[in-house]
Amino acid sequence: MFTVENQVTGHHFKIEPGETILDGAMSNGIGLPYGCRNGFCGKCKATLIEGEICYEAGTPPALSAEEIADGMILPCKCQAMTDLSIVVTELESIADIEVKTLPCKVAKIEHLNADVAKIILIIPGSESMQYLSGQYIDLIHPDFEPRAFSIANAPHNTGVIELHVRLISGGRFTHFVFNELQEKSLLKIEGPKGHFYLREHSDKPIIMVAGGTGFGPVKAMVEHTLELGSQRDIHIYWGVRSKQDLYMSLPSEWAKEFEHISFIPVLSMPDNSWKGRTGYVHEAVLADFETLTNYEVYACGPPQMVRSAANTFVKKGMFENNFYNDSFDFAYQVGEA
Ligand SMILES: Cc1cc2nc3c(=O)[nH]c(=O)nc-3n(C[C@H](O)[C@H](O)[C@H](O)COP(=O)(O)OP(=O)(O)OC[C@H]3O[C@@H](n4cnc5c(N)ncnc54)[C@H](O)[C@@H]3O)c2cc1C
Ligand code: FES
């Protein structure tokens, strides 16, 4: 096992012998840039400051002799032979990421409750989609207009995309997903899209407010912080109608395992057996915090939930530029009606 240090950010990560630097970085939650992952495009170029690397299949075509002499390496193809110190600009902005249209195969459809399905898509071959945790994709099928769904897994294995799809009453595409879409079907995805992504270089404590399947991108962001080993406080609020709508036990498990994560489920239409919080999810946040001045807030789900959170949190001290949101209908800006 070797250690790689990126001198630009101070991030360290371990890589196994035989693993490429890019794979090692990704499995440790570090967003190095890349494109083809095959030594052709040069998008992953980095500079080696210290240590020794090798290319198993010979020097890749994207590097010229001058670049090699200048210490340039291609992390997508090279392996470490010693501990390494490199210089490379990590991705933290969507401006750095290419939007692609890619074919994908439905690998698994799992019904998590009566109206939420987890869909696992695999991007075949050497293609992959680089994204930031929290972003979404458009799902493309020839019989429908493209439909937006948030990516529910952290970007550590970008050949796999997890989606949490809620069945919409009377919804054409979501009915197709629930009733006709089969495992092994082929679809296309276009993405990544959206400005809702974790600002990972901030150290402010985080409040995440999810409504229904708005938990999907929250899951991706929390998984990403765990991969990074971040100790930022995260307060997860998940608002749903009834207990069955809490379609995953993961946030309770995180809260048990990690001191810096808390989880508060909030039911708007509970039955008598529910002993937890009730009402609207944004109201639970307002009740729990004296001021929101120092917090970063990520809100995702139905438009009315996002709008209520935006308007009321500002009155409780939240700075508008610390509020990030994805509204599952239209992009809502703080201050709009
Ligand atoms: C950026 C973004 C990310 C999204 N991420 C997710 C996600 O991760 N998971 C997820 O389940 N959904 C997500 N959505 C919502 C999802 O795109 C819609 O639910 C889906 O497109 C509905 O398609 P449909 O063909 O079934 O419904 P349509 O046939 O298009 O609509 C049928 C009826 O339902 C209404 N409707 C449509 N969408 C909704 C909705 N979300 N809530 C209530 N009523 C609605 C329509 O106004 C219409 O009256 C996201 C939306 C956006 C904009
Ligand atoms: S990602 Fe294309 S050369 Fe490395």
Side-chain angles (χ1 to χ4, degrees), residues 40-289:
F40 290 106
C41 71
K43 285 199 180 138
C44 64
K45 276 177 197 166
T47 306
L48 180 64
I49 304 296
E50 221 177 295
E52 273 182 55
I53 55 108
C54 67
Y55 296 98
E56 211 172 34
T59 310
L63 279 183
S64 67
E66 294 79 52
E67 286 174 326
I68 293 170
D70 287 344
M72 288 246 175
I73 58 169
L74 294 182
C76 73
K77 292 300 279 181
C78 74
Q79 297 165 9
M81 297 177 72
T82 62
D83 288 347
L84 305 176
S85 184
I86 62 172
V87 167
V88 59
T89 305
E90 291 174 20
L91 293 169
E92 63 162 332
S93 149
I94 45 170
D96 302 331
I97 299 180
E98 185 187 353
V99 175
K100 295 181 182 175
T101 303
L102 294 171
C104 62
K105 187 152 117 185
V106 179
K108 196 161 180 219
I109 303 176
E110 185 184 346
H111 290 271
L112 301 176
N113 66 17
D115 65 0
V116 177
K118 178 166 97 176
I119 314 287
I120 302 290
L121 305 173
I122 304 279
I123 302 171
S126 59
E127 288 282 11
S128 59
M129 183 187 290
Q130 192 156 21
Y131 60 92
L132 297 175
S133 57
Q135 288 192 285
Y136 74 93
I137 46 127
D138 276 335
L139 212 45
I140 300 172
H141 184 285
D143 298 343
F144 301 91
E145 290 293 308
R147 294 292 198 273
F149 292 98
S150 304
I151 306 171
N153 55 318
H156 307 132
N157 179 355
T158 49
V160 177
I161 302 281
E162 175 180 330
L163 306 175
H164 297 173
V165 176
R166 186 164 85 85
L167 179 65
I168 298 292
S169 165
R172 285 179 57 233
F173 185 70
T174 53
H175 272 263
F176 164 78
V177 169
F178 272 68
N179 300 318
E180 291 174 51
L181 188 67
Q182 300 287 328
E183 292 180 353
K184 299 200 174 78
S185 303
L186 294 176
L187 295 168
K188 278 189 181 161
I189 53 176
E190 186 180 273
K193 297 191 171 182
H195 293 78
F196 185 64
Y197 62 90
L198 184 75
R199 272 56 179 180
E200 60 187 70
H201 296 302
S202 157
D203 56 5
K204 288 197 168 66
I206 297 171
I207 298 172
M208 305 233 172
V209 189
T213 43
F215 175 67
V218 164
K219 171 177 174 287
M221 289 195 261
V222 175
E223 281 179 351
H224 187 57
T225 64
L226 293 175
E227 288 288 338
L228 289 173
S230 157
Q231 292 298 311
R232 284 171 80 181
D233 282 340
I234 303 179
H235 307 274
I236 305 168
Y237 286 79
W238 190 3
V240 292
R241 272 166 300 179
S242 60
K243 205 174 162 192
Q244 305 83 273
D245 297 325
L246 297 168
Y247 57 81
M248 278 191 168
S249 57
L250 252 186
S252 311
E253 289 159 24
W254 288 328
K256 272 193 206 124
E257 192 177 344
F258 302 102
E259 256 180 36
H260 65 284
I261 299 182
S262 68
F263 172 51
I264 294 102
V266 185
L267 269 50
S268 60
M269 294 167 66
D271 65 18
N272 291 336
S273 68
W274 178 250
K275 303 280 179 270
R277 306 285 292 270
T278 57
Y280 290 122
V281 64
H282 71 282
E283 288 170 351
V285 177
L286 292 169
D288 290 355
F289 293 84

